[in-house]
């Protein structure tokens, strides 16, 4: 474990992957091997491993004390209903002129995917979405959520437009095979981790994903992908990413989207 401003950052090797049911043992072993973690059939004690991954019939869950975190796209279904989806600030911010008339759906890249909820909104709005997540533990939670969505009749069509890549978007964005129409950036910044609005269970994420260390590199990588638009998700009073002033903003009470527009030759 390492510390970042009094925050314990867990490495995958610090974790134990627990097979909570015999039928999940092989899957737990595969996940532990991929993460370089320990596999067990009994939950570790709080002293041994206060945070661990549990694999059971529901999926993969990050557990810590009384807190649990599991990727779950189904809880967003009320927001995907016709009429409501179009009112989502992210959908408004990502909107591309003429996209509805294109033969191929527009491509969005979620460069900081996390648990993939923003990517789901974009996919539901008609985008093809490539998600990048560099943290392997968060990636495992997202991968599991996507797997379950593909067999959920209410989500399967949307999930079919979502692709997960477990790698750094900073490295990958300049080398994409296709120019994206939109790149979404939602980096984790230190000031956001102190917000009282952060739900208790999401505090678990702050033990895994470190704040953005080089916002200029992230923005430069997004620009290098040559999108039509970059959408940056920010706290309402947060600073501009890398100090770059957007062309326009779409703001709500809890979030602000800074939109950078680019001409494409």
């Amino acid at each position: 474990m390492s510390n970042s401003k009094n925050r314990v950052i867990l490495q995958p090797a610090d974790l134990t992957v627990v097979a909570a049911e015999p039928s999940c043992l092989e899957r737990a072993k595969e996940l532990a091997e991929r993460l370089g973690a320990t596999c067990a059939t009994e939950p570790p004690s709080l002293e041994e491993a206060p945070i661990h991954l549990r694999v059971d019939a529901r999926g993969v869950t990050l557990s810590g004390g009384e807190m649990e975190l599991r990727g779950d796209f189904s809880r967003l279904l009320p927001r995907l209903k016709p009429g409501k989806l179009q009112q989502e600030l992210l959908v408004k911010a990502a909107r591309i002129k003429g996209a509805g008339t294109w033969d191929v759906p527009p491509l969005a890249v979620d460069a900081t995917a996390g648990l993939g909820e923003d990517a789901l909104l974009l996919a539901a709005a008609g985008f093809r979405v490539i998600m990048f997540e560099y943290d392997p533990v968060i990636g495992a939670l997202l991968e599991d959520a996507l797997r379950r969505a593909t067999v959920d009749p209410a989500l399967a069509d949307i999930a079919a437009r979502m692709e997960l890549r477990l790698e750094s978007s900073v490295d990958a964005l300049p080398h994409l095979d296709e120019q994206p129409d939109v790149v979404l950036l939602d980096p984790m910044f230190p000031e956001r981790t102190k917000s009282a609005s952060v739900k208790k269970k999401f505090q678990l994420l702050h033990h895994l994903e470190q704040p953005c260390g080089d916002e200029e590199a992230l923005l430069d990588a997004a620009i290098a992908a040559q999108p039509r638009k970059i959408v940056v998700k920010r706290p309402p009073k947060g600073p501009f990413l890398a100090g770059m002033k957007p062309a326009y903003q779409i703001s709500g009470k809890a979030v602000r989207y800074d939109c950078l527009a680019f001409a494409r030759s």
Side-chain angles (χ1 to χ4, degrees), residues 227-263:
R228 298 174 187 270
K229 180 188 292 187
I230 295 175
V231 176
V232 185
K233 188 175 183 179
R234 304 297 292 136
K237 296 183 180 179
F240 298 141
L241 183 66
M244 181 171 287
K245 186 176 181 180
Y248 62 96
Q249 298 174 306
I250 296 179
S251 299
K253 292 182 179 179
V255 69
R256 184 187 85 224
Y257 291 98
D258 294 343
C259 302
L260 290 71
F262 301 89

Side-chain angles (χ1 to χ4, degrees), residues 168-209:
S168 167
S169 59
V170 173
D171 296 332
L173 277 168
H175 308 290
L176 290 176
D177 294 333
E178 182 180 357
Q179 288 178 301
D181 297 287
V182 176
V183 174
L184 172 64
L185 304 178
D186 178 18
M188 183 183 292
F189 285 80
E191 63 266 23
R192 291 182 61 193
T193 68
K194 299 174 184 177
S195 170
S197 66
V198 176
K199 292 182 180 179
K200 229 178 180 184
K201 66 178 182 178
F202 284 94
Q203 293 173 12
L204 288 171
L205 284 182
H206 303 318
H207 292 290
L208 299 174
E209 196 166 37

Side-chain angles (χ1 to χ4, degrees), residues 77 120 146 148-162:
L77 283 172
L120 184 76
L146 187 60
R148 284 182 279 107
T150 61
V151 295
D152 183 335
L155 293 167
D157 289 345
I158 299 172
R161 292 193 289 273
M162 301 170 68

Side-chain angles (χ1 to χ4, degrees), residues 88-109:
E88 289 283 343
L89 295 182
L90 173 58
V91 173
K92 291 181 178 181
R95 191 169 291 149
I96 297 293
K97 186 177 181 180
T101 63
W102 297 351
D103 294 333
V104 178
L107 174 63
V109 173

Side-chain angles (χ1 to χ4, degrees), residues 10-66:
L10 289 171
Q11 303 301 320
D14 297 324
L15 289 169
T16 298
V17 179
V18 178
E21 303 167 12
S23 61
C24 299
L25 182 57
E26 287 304 313
R27 189 165 171 225
K29 286 181 177 178
E30 291 175 3
L31 179 57
E33 183 177 356
R34 175 149 55 99
L35 295 175
T38 301
C39 185
T41 55
E42 295 289 339
S45 68
L46 290 178
E47 292 77 15
E48 292 174 333
I51 298 177
H52 63 276
L53 283 170
R54 187 179 72 248
V55 182
D56 58 24
R58 296 188 306 154
V60 180
T61 303
L62 184 66
S63 298
E66 296 181 354

